[in-house]
Amino acid sequence: MRIRKLTALALSAVTAAVMAVSAPSAAAEGAPSLEVVFNKPTPRGTAGYDRAIENRLLQLIGQAASTSSIRVSLYELEDAQVVDALIAAKGRDVDVRVLSERCPWTAKRCETDLPEALRLVGKLGNAPDGKPRVVLCRNGCMGSQNEINHNKFWLFSEVSIGQTNVTNVVVQSSHNLGATTPGLADNMVISSGDAPLYQGYEHTWNTMRANELAGVTEGLWPEVDTAGTGDFSGHGGTVAAWRYPRQAKVGSVINDPVARSIAALDCSTGPEIHIAMAAWNGRAEVDKALLAKVDEVGANGKRCKLRIVTAGTPVNAVALEPDAAHPDRDVQLWTVTNNQLNGASGGLHSKYMLLSWDDAAGAHRVVHTGSDNFSNAAVVDADESALRITDPAVYETFKDNWQWLRAQNDLTANVLTDIPHLYEYSDKTVTPFTFGTTEYRTFRDPKHSGFKSPAVLSRKSVKGDFNGDGVLDIVTLNEDGLDAQSKKAFSFETFLGKPDGRYFPGVKSWKANSDWGWYSSMRLASGDYNGDGRDDVAALYTRAGTGEDWSYYTFLAQPDGTFTGPKRAFDSLPGWGRTSQMKIVSGKFDSDQRDDIAALYTYGDGDIGLHTFTSKADGTFNASFRSWKVGADVWGSGAPTTIVSGDFDGVGGEDVAALDDYANGAVGLHTMLSQANGGFNAPVGSWYAEGWGSAERMQLTTGDFDGDGRDDIASLYKYAFTSAEDAMMAVHIISTEASGKFSTPYRGWYGKYLAASVTVPTS
């Protein structure tokens, strides 16, 4: 179906250019103007910690002309600076009046009123009509049952900017003014000189106040959007506005303007939908419209493109992603864990949807934004207001902000390494998680993938980019139990990573049973052994007996992240050694850019040596050569040693580091820098600490976690606990120096996490 109503609206004249930081001075000359302001959060305590919206509001309050009026409708009014500014404006003979919810939404409503709002009540007193200037609403000002005044709009009848007076200023924001809301990612639009828009908001404010003071217990706005232009501002031009609560659908009329805009899109015009949404709890008409559009194919084969950034992992947003039944959907979703953008503060609280398409009538750019989330309550219960803007410059400003929000939570948008891991539940099911690394040397809370993989007897896991898309994946070797022939079975399962740190459900590729071999005899590593740009899996397979008879097998990755059957890549040589005395790790140790395998070997006399198996172009391995050997009196026991690989000195070619657990309780790292032929220099002690912690509580992984171009070591540290409720875990980063040695660890994340259930895949 071709778009009609929105096309007509989008063709309305655009009368003013829009700048994100411009003051609304154009209104002084009679032309309406628009301004857009965003909060772009950084961690609390940093220089850039953002109060852009609060600061712009303070500026407007300070500019309110004497004898002018300020009208405010807010969910929470707890910002002391804003309260002080409103009190000061009253002292300048500004008619200040406020509607605010009495207290935040909780399970037990209104046990304690908001203290700053109460302070404002006392300071502003009564209006000339004898009623309070500050009216604290209970269950919303329109009286909808068990809901809230969730509005975030401000009206300034006149502000003075230098020698110029600007009238009819409307501020529509997504931003609350609660005690903990500064620094959240939010958006705000300021319209100036648009008298119909101002008058529509003013009528809305007056009606809400009258309803609350009269004790109205139930109220809906009467507009039915039969023509597609039923906004309360009285016009359907560049800026139009809607108010809630209202009926979401009246007969066959979609009365939710956001859903109406989506439903009117024609996928044959190649429209793009960009959404940034704080809460997505199910907005029936919107969800129906989006679900229809992602599966619609235009007459020319084009599809609607949908890009979403949202807080949490809402099921209605996840339901739009491609899956086995709908592989061709053009949908990408970035979820923000625990409402965090950067791992320290800065939740996603923005609320907007952007639409763009080009057709024979021209280019169309639409912004929907307001106080309304994607929830049914935001339409039919709560007091809300929202704008639809068809100004291309405003669209581009919002699009730039959307790209910034996406980049903040896209793990591929920086050069930092993230930490994939598996969390195993008591029923043996698992969920893949990711600790996303931030530019602030911190980690976001672990990102949940939204599913549990079916239970198996046990798992071994490796990480790598197995489909070559630049995102880390996880592969598990599963012990599946008995198959239909009553033989012990096992299989590979691939969890492909998504750019935001979630994973697709697992896909099994290679399956085998005891006719091939034994699960317990396989030890895994991962790397690009054939140089095709995709990581493969290598298995060190121990045959029966003493372990002196063994082989490497390689499982080569396919473009979909599954694997070919095992390829026999190397057989042990007589008298070489036993697998029980080998600790292996993969890395690009020589100069050919294929991954190799290094083996730390403990000899029968206690001496320790490092051997390298370099790879061939077909994914098999050359016979090993030894780089060095030291006595047990120099190294100590090899049994408690853990090895990892990475480019620790930043000069190219990956190195090996060994974590030692000393008998005196100390822990330390040795660095073995690589040579061009894949061999290694002798180990150099690079970090040592007594009383730091226990090596057996550390799970290690490597990557560039601080952005200096050198790989570091991350340790997921499991603290002692008496019950699962008290379990705490930390992610420590052990940064590298230019020499390849290691610095004192620092903590990048700490929280309640049952680390005993966490497995960090090897590489």
Side-chain angles (χ1 to χ4, degrees):
M1 184 178 95
R2 303 244 356 137
I3 192 160
R4 293 185 178 87
K5 297 298 182 183
L6 276 178
T7 299
L9 293 172
L11 289 174
S12 301
V14 178
T15 57
V18 179
M19 298 297 291
V21 294
S22 64
S25 57
E29 302 172 4
S33 69
L34 296 170
E35 175 188 354
V36 184
V37 182
F38 297 101
N39 271 359
K40 298 173 71 173
T42 59
R44 297 180 189 277
T46 61
Y49 181 60
D50 203 291
R51 282 177 58 88
I53 288 177
E54 288 88 344
N55 292 339
R56 189 67 182 95
L57 288 171
L58 289 170
Q59 186 179 39
L60 287 169
I61 297 168
Q63 292 171 335
S66 178
T67 72
S68 70
S69 66
I70 298 176
R71 299 291 184 264
V72 186
S73 183
L74 287 175
Y75 170 44
E76 292 180 289
L77 183 52
E78 279 298 285
D79 190 291
Q81 291 184 51
V82 173
V83 169
D84 288 341
L86 290 172
I87 294 169
K90 169 66 166 52
R92 301 194 312 271
D93 201 24
V94 177
D95 182 11
V96 180
R97 304 191 193 188
V98 176
L99 297 173
S100 179
E101 190 66 10
R102 185 175 298 274
C103 56
W105 177 267
T106 59
K108 297 180 179 180
R109 296 296 310 280
C110 289
E111 292 184 338
T112 304
D113 290 346
L114 292 169
E116 286 297 324
L118 288 177
R119 179 164 74 93
L120 192 63
V121 170
K123 291 292 185 181
L124 296 191
N126 289 340
D129 62 2
K131 302 300 173 69
R133 289 183 177 276
V134 181
V135 175
L136 300 181
C137 305
R138 186 184 297 271
N139 297 336
C141 301
M142 287 293 286
S144 299
Q145 290 184 342
N146 297 319
E147 264 304 328
I148 54 175
N149 173 17
H150 197 244
N151 276 308
K152 307 155 202 328
F153 71 79
W154 297 67
L155 308 177
F156 299 85
S157 64
E158 185 177 2
V159 297
S160 298
I161 304 173
Q163 301 299 312
T164 303
N165 284 357
V166 180
T167 60
N168 297 323
V169 178
V170 175
V171 177
Q172 175 63 67
S173 180
S174 69
H175 192 52
N176 295 316
L177 290 175
T180 60
T181 55
L184 298 179
D186 266 305
N187 58 275
M188 182 168 76
V189 175
I190 304 171
S191 169
S192 304
D194 189 333
L197 183 68
Y198 182 93
Q199 291 161 8
Y201 268 95
E202 186 177 47
H203 174 261
T204 301
W205 190 94
N206 288 335
T207 304
M208 291 172 64
R209 181 174 186 263
N211 277 15
E212 180 65 23
L213 291 174
V216 173
T217 58
E218 190 70 29
L220 292 174
W221 295 105
E223 293 94 356
V224 178
D225 200 12
T226 54
T229 57
D231 63 284
F232 65 64
S233 67
H235 68 82
T238 303
V239 181
W242 283 264
R243 55 193 174 188
Y244 309 87
R246 64 195 290 153
Q247 295 183 72
K249 192 171 185 179
V250 181
S252 61
V253 176
I254 299 176
N255 206 33
D256 180 336
V258 177
R260 190 182 185 92
S261 290
I262 298 166
L265 292 171
D266 178 3
C267 287
S268 67
T269 64
E272 295 184 1
I273 306 172
H274 290 80
I275 296 171
M277 190 53 54
W280 196 324
N281 304 318
R283 185 163 167 171
E285 297 304 319
V286 167
D287 292 334
K288 290 177 188 175
L290 287 172
L291 198 57
K293 289 302 166 187
V294 298
D295 290 325
E296 178 182 315
V297 182
N300 52 6
K302 289 186 178 180
R303 287 180 172 268
C304 290
K305 177 189 294 186
L306 184 57
R307 302 292 184 262
I308 304 167
V309 179
T310 185
T313 312
V315 294
N316 291 296
V318 173
L320 301 170
E321 290 187 286
D323 56 24
H326 309 90
D328 297 323
R329 287 178 176 174
D330 194 354
V331 179
Q332 293 182 24
L333 171 64
W334 292 264
T335 65
V336 182
T337 300
N338 285 357
N339 219 26
Q340 287 185 333
L341 284 168
N342 53 43
S345 70
L348 174 63
H349 199 255
S350 301
K351 311 174 202 307
Y352 60 79
M353 179 182 75
L354 314 178
L355 306 174
S356 69
W357 71 97
D358 299 327
D359 58 21
H364 309 286
R365 304 294 181 262
V366 179
V367 176
H368 279 273
T369 186
S371 62
D372 50 321
N373 286 301
F374 276 9
S375 65
N376 286 329
V379 179
V380 302
D381 292 321
D383 298 334
E384 311 268 11
S385 57
L387 299 174
R388 187 210 61 233
I389 305 169
T390 56
D391 186 305
V394 170
Y395 174 91
E396 292 302 328
T397 303
F398 270 91
K399 181 71 173 296
D400 287 345
N401 179 256
W402 187 91
Q403 294 288 8
W404 181 85
L405 290 171
R406 190 272 311 161
Q408 290 295 299
N409 208 55
D410 189 325
L411 304 187
T412 67
N414 57 41
V415 297
L416 302 172
T417 309
D418 308 294
I419 303 179
H421 57 285
L422 293 169
Y423 190 94
E424 184 172 277
Y425 301 91
S426 58
D427 61 358
K428 292 292 186 178
T429 60
V430 297
T431 297
F433 283 79
T434 301
F435 281 107
T437 312
T438 80
E439 61 185 291
Y440 304 101
R441 293 161 60 97
T442 60
F443 293 89
R444 299 173 180 88
D445 283 349
K447 177 71 67 68
H448 193 294
S449 294
F451 66 87
K452 289 184 178 181
S453 188
V456 297
L457 297 180
S458 62
R459 295 177 179 85
K460 302 170 183 178
S461 61
V462 289
K463 67 174 182 178
D465 181 8
F466 299 110
N467 63 350
D469 65 353
V471 181
L472 282 173
D473 313 306
I474 298 175
V475 167
T476 61
L477 176 65
N478 298 337
E479 185 180 18
D480 296 321
L482 299 179
D483 63 11
Q485 299 172 306
S486 297
K487 297 179 179 180
K488 291 185 176 181
F490 44 91
S491 60
F492 275 140
E493 187 172 10
T494 304
F495 300 94
L496 293 178
K498 300 180 181 181
D500 67 346
R502 294 175 300 133
Y503 293 84
F504 289 101
V507 175
K508 291 193 175 184
S509 50
W510 176 70
K511 299 179 181 180
N513 61 24
S514 54
D515 287 342
W516 184 88
W518 302 94
Y519 167 89
S520 58
S521 299
M522 299 173 71
R523 203 183 320 167
L524 304 183
S526 63
D528 183 6
Y529 301 119
N530 62 353
D532 65 358
R534 298 186 298 269
D535 284 328
D536 312 302
V537 174
L540 174 60
Y541 188 83
T542 304
R543 305 186 190 283
T546 63
E548 294 179 350
D549 184 10
W550 51 268
S551 297
Y552 282 120
Y553 288 89
T554 50
F555 300 80
L556 299 180
Q558 303 302 295
D560 62 356
T562 61
F563 297 90
T564 62
K567 181 175 187 176
R568 198 154 177 167
F570 180 79
D571 289 329
S572 60
L573 301 175
W576 191 93
R578 301 180 179 181
T579 56
S580 60
Q581 295 166 271
M582 296 168 61
K583 297 193 173 179
I584 63 172
V585 67
S586 285
K588 291 179 171 60
F589 301 130
D590 61 14
S591 58
D592 63 12
Q593 295 306 302
R594 294 190 301 270
D595 279 286
D596 313 300
I597 292 178
L600 187 71
Y601 191 82
T602 302
Y603 299 92
D605 58 3
D607 291 355
I608 292 177
L610 188 61
H611 295 252
T612 307
F613 298 84
T614 57
S615 62
K616 302 177 183 179
D618 62 355
T620 62
F621 297 97
N622 295 304
S624 73
F625 63 91
R626 188 174 69 194
S627 300
W628 52 263
K629 180 181 178 182
V630 298
D633 56 333
V634 175
W635 183 277
S637 172
T641 300
T642 301
I643 60 172
V644 292
S645 64
D647 182 5
F648 300 128
D649 59 2
V651 300
E654 293 185 322
D655 315 303
V656 171
L659 175 71
D660 298 321
D661 193 1
Y662 295 96
N664 64 356
V667 294
L669 284 167
H670 287 82
T671 304
M672 292 150 268
L673 298 179
S674 62
Q675 302 170 351
N677 66 349
F680 296 90
N681 295 332
V684 175
S686 53
W687 173 69
Y688 177 86
E690 296 181 8
W692 183 86
S694 169
E696 67 180 9
R697 296 183 180 276
M698 300 167 67
Q699 289 195 69
L700 303 186
T701 189
T702 59
D704 185 1
F705 303 114
D706 57 14
D708 63 3
R710 298 187 299 271
D711 284 328
D712 316 295
I713 294 177
S715 164
L716 276 66
Y717 191 84
K718 173 182 64 177
Y719 292 93
F721 62 91
T722 56
S723 67
E725 292 74 20
D726 299 325
M728 304 297 290
M729 192 181 83
V731 180
H732 292 102
I733 303 303
I734 311 172
S735 294
T736 49
E737 302 170 354
S739 63
K741 294 185 177 182
F742 293 90
S743 303
T744 301
Y746 65 88
R747 194 162 72 185
W749 185 87
Y750 177 75
K752 189 176 290 295
Y753 215 45
L754 186 57
S757 301
V758 173
T759 299
V760 179
T762 59
S763 59

